[in-house]
Amino acid sequence: MSGVVGIKSDEDVSQKLYYSLSTIQHRGQDSAGVIFSDGNSLNRIKGMGLVNDVLSDYQTVDNNSKIGIGHVRSSSEGCNMDYNIEPLVSFSKNNEFSIAHDGNLVNYNLLKDKNERKGVAFHTHTDSELILLLITRYYENDIVSAIRKTMDIIKGAYSCILCMPDKIVAFRDYYGFRPLMIGSNDDTAIVASENPAIEILDIDNYRDIEAGEIVVIDNNGIKSYPSKKNIEQKHCIFESIYTARPDANIGNVNSYMFRRACGEVLYRQSPIDADLICPVPDSGTPSAIGFAQEAGIPFAAGLVKNRYMGRTFIKPSQKERDLAVKLKLNPQKSVIDGKRIVLVDDSIVRGTTSAKLIKRMRKAGAKEVHFRVSSPAFKYPCHYGIDTPDKDKLIASKLSIEEIRKQIGADSLEFISLKNMMQLVDKPSSYCQACFTGNYPIDEEDL
């Protein structure tokens, strides 16, 4: 997963970019980077770690840059390398280009091999480099044409922000898998993965960049180039389940209200008698609130979260995830001792985290531990930018619900049904549900 931000302003953008990028830190915790433009050339600052670690010395410095883009990244396992940090930079045809990308190309290996046979040498493991290579190859003083030609070749999920010394160009894939938004006021235009990064700048005028749309922001203002293709959008439903901040509004869906409604529906689907409803914080909290209110059972903080720990789902290795969970969540014995507990979480992916939590809840004195999941069972890997593991590591791909229950050690286990969850959005067919169904919008066999 990644988060992207691009800002053009009448004022220096250093502090604005720092604040906006920090606001979407949850989308990537391994590395951060920014590009500043003074109108003539691009300057990059990047490093491993959080935005505050990488950029704290620069956020108050007036570098007279009116344009900037930024990126936060969570690496897939084995790819947490310095040379993969974005934004990437390219020098071609007497121009400087930089790109920040959220998503994943399904035909990356095919296109990479094709270009390597022509003698092209790649310097990163990222598909962002391939996108940048194709744009610069097709660029002939018309950046929109170059991007459109590139978009017609690459397949998969990509929400991108391209920076040149005098402009920002944002573009989103034809399915609209990953979110991308644009906002503006009298002196600032911003593109970002989620609206909180826009609202932090006191900009309330924003909208989604549509699937297939290209938007150019330069001294002439903001100009849109919509797609002429008639492709049904396939927004990632996992954004609303987990990835996005609770206060994100993606499409016409508010993440918090969606998650809370999932909890309400989950109780109606699988009612249970218990003493306390406890969330697995933070991503399970809205659903647990909805579950508790619908059930009329008290809501309690049975797990205390270390606020200085980041997201464990996006840690690059299982060893790091296991340690992070132990550091992040601690059962509160005074709350759960002798109680029948319902733990509510947003998902079960590998099952290892859930098993460890239940074991620790029992050790802290829980009389019963029932597990409720506010998403359907993950049975298939994501190919469009969420770093879920291979199918053989997804616990629901090989075990029944009863077998999963036994393996994680719960007294009972229920997942919200896909049908019930998708009834909470206006147009279910406009969402990618491949991680639950295996029905991928892009057939990789046809690439």
Side-chain angles (χ1 to χ4, degrees):
M1 301 189 301
S2 297
V4 297
V5 173
I7 301 174
K8 186 180 186 305
S9 180
D10 295 341
E11 306 170 343
D12 178 73
V13 298
S14 303
Q15 196 172 68
K16 294 175 186 284
L17 195 58
Y18 176 84
Y19 290 154
S20 289
L21 202 58
S22 297
T23 304
I24 55 169
Q25 182 74 83
H26 60 284
R27 298 188 70 87
Q29 298 171 179
D30 291 332
S31 66
V34 293
I35 288 285
F36 293 120
S37 171
D38 60 6
N40 297 306
S41 61
L42 305 182
N43 178 41
R44 178 169 60 172
I45 302 165
K46 67 185 181 77
M48 306 298 292
L50 304 177
V51 174
N52 190 56
D53 299 326
V54 177
L55 303 176
S56 59
D57 292 339
Y58 301 94
Q59 61 103 353
T60 58
V61 175
D62 187 350
N63 59 19
N64 198 35
S65 297
K66 304 300 192 293
I67 292 175
I69 68 172
H71 187 268
V72 289
R73 182 172 188 263
S74 284
S75 309
S76 54
E77 194 163 348
C79 293
N80 195 16
M81 315 292 189
D82 178 82
Y83 51 74
N84 288 329
I85 299 174
E86 296 183 35
L88 303 180
V89 180
S90 177
F91 305 91
S92 177
K93 301 174 183 176
N94 297 316
N95 277 284
E96 292 179 292
F97 304 82
S98 180
I99 197 167
H101 164 221
D102 177 27
N104 187 63
L105 302 185
V106 296
N107 63 341
Y108 166 69
N109 289 324
L110 183 69
L111 293 174
K112 180 173 179 285
D113 290 345
K114 182 179 179 180
N115 280 277
E116 284 179 330
R117 287 195 296 270
K118 293 179 179 179
V120 175
F122 289 86
H123 304 285
T124 74
H125 291 144
T126 70
D127 43 9
S128 310
E129 183 180 9
L130 176 65
I131 298 173
L132 189 57
L133 168 72
L134 294 174
I135 291 172
T136 56
R137 176 179 295 169
Y138 294 127
Y139 180 69
E140 298 292 346
N141 296 317
D142 184 347
I143 192 61
V144 174
S145 176
I147 290 174
R148 188 63 74 189
K149 288 178 180 178
T150 300
M151 291 174 66
D152 290 339
I153 293 174
I154 57 178
K155 308 295 180 185
Y158 50 90
S159 288
C160 298
I161 304 176
L162 182 86
C163 183
M164 296 176 70
D166 63 340
K167 64 174 65 72
I168 291 172
V169 188
F171 56 102
R172 193 177 179 197
D173 67 78
Y174 290 111
Y175 291 88
F177 287 110
R178 310 254 67 80
L180 195 62
M181 299 180 176
I182 182 169
S184 63
N185 60 16
D186 292 339
D187 59 20
T188 300
I190 175 173
V191 177
S193 294
E194 297 180 23
N195 56 282
I198 300 174
E199 294 172 350
I200 195 68
L201 303 184
D202 291 326
I203 296 175
D204 298 319
N205 175 36
Y206 59 82
R207 67 170 178 86
D208 290 292
I209 291 177
E210 297 300 325
E213 183 182 3
I214 301 172
V215 177
V216 178
I217 304 171
D218 59 17
N219 290 332
N220 296 318
I222 301 172
K223 189 169 183 180
S224 169
Y225 299 84
S227 169
K228 295 180 181 179
K229 295 189 176 184
N230 185 22
I231 298 176
E232 185 176 28
Q233 297 184 9
K234 293 293 180 181
H235 307 312
C236 174
I237 192 63
F238 196 59
E239 289 280 350
S240 297
I241 293 170
Y242 172 83
T243 309
R245 278 177 44 143
D247 52 345
N249 301 312
I250 299 175
N252 60 350
V253 176
N254 173 264
S255 298
Y256 175 86
M257 297 305 294
F258 175 83
R259 294 166 192 174
R260 178 174 162 173
C262 283
E264 295 171 353
V265 169
L266 182 56
Y267 176 76
R268 294 197 294 269
Q269 174 188 307
S270 306
I272 189 170
D273 185 23
D275 299 312
L276 295 174
I277 309 300
C278 299
V280 179
D282 281 323
S283 54
T285 300
S287 294
I289 291 172
F291 192 99
Q293 290 179 337
E294 188 71 16
I297 299 172
F299 174 92
L303 287 166
V304 176
K305 181 182 177 182
N306 178 349
R307 297 296 170 183
Y308 297 94
M309 289 296 298
R311 290 184 132 177
T312 53
F313 174 83
I314 55 180
K315 293 291 183 183
S317 72
Q318 185 61 51
K319 185 176 180 180
E320 288 177 281
R321 285 189 292 271
D322 291 344
L323 178 59
V325 168
K326 192 171 184 179
L327 290 169
K328 176 181 177 181
L329 300 172
N330 192 48
Q332 191 167 193
K333 183 177 177 66
S334 60
V335 173
I336 65 177
D337 191 17
K339 300 292 196 303
R340 298 169 298 164
I341 304 297
V342 177
L343 270 181
V344 181
D345 204 357
D346 62 274
S347 59
I348 296 179
V349 181
R350 302 166 185 86
T352 52
T353 297
S354 305
K356 285 178 169 57
L357 283 177
I358 291 170
K359 184 176 181 180
R360 294 177 68 203
M361 293 289 280
R362 293 194 189 282
K363 187 176 179 180
K367 184 179 179 181
E368 297 175 8
V369 182
H370 303 270
F371 213 89
R372 295 294 182 267
V373 187
S374 57
S375 71
F378 279 79
K379 297 182 179 181
Y380 303 90
C382 176
H383 299 323
Y384 309 122
I386 301 296
D387 190 27
T388 48
D390 294 335
K391 186 177 179 181
D392 61 356
K393 294 180 181 178
L394 293 169
I395 191 170
S397 71
K398 52 189 177 182
L399 300 180
S400 66
I401 293 179
E402 175 60 18
E403 289 170 331
I404 296 172
R405 182 196 68 78
K406 290 180 180 178
Q407 184 152 318
I408 66 175
D411 288 287
S412 68
L413 169 66
E414 293 289 345
F415 296 81
I416 192 172
S417 72
L418 180 61
K419 179 181 178 181
N420 285 344
M421 184 183 72
M422 296 311 299
Q423 287 178 346
L424 300 176
V425 298
D426 289 339
K427 190 178 179 183
S429 63
S430 67
Y431 287 85
C432 178
Q433 306 163 44
C435 50
F436 309 125
T437 65
N439 297 322
Y440 295 98
I442 301 174
D443 191 345
E444 295 179 57
E445 294 180 357
D446 294 336
L447 296 178

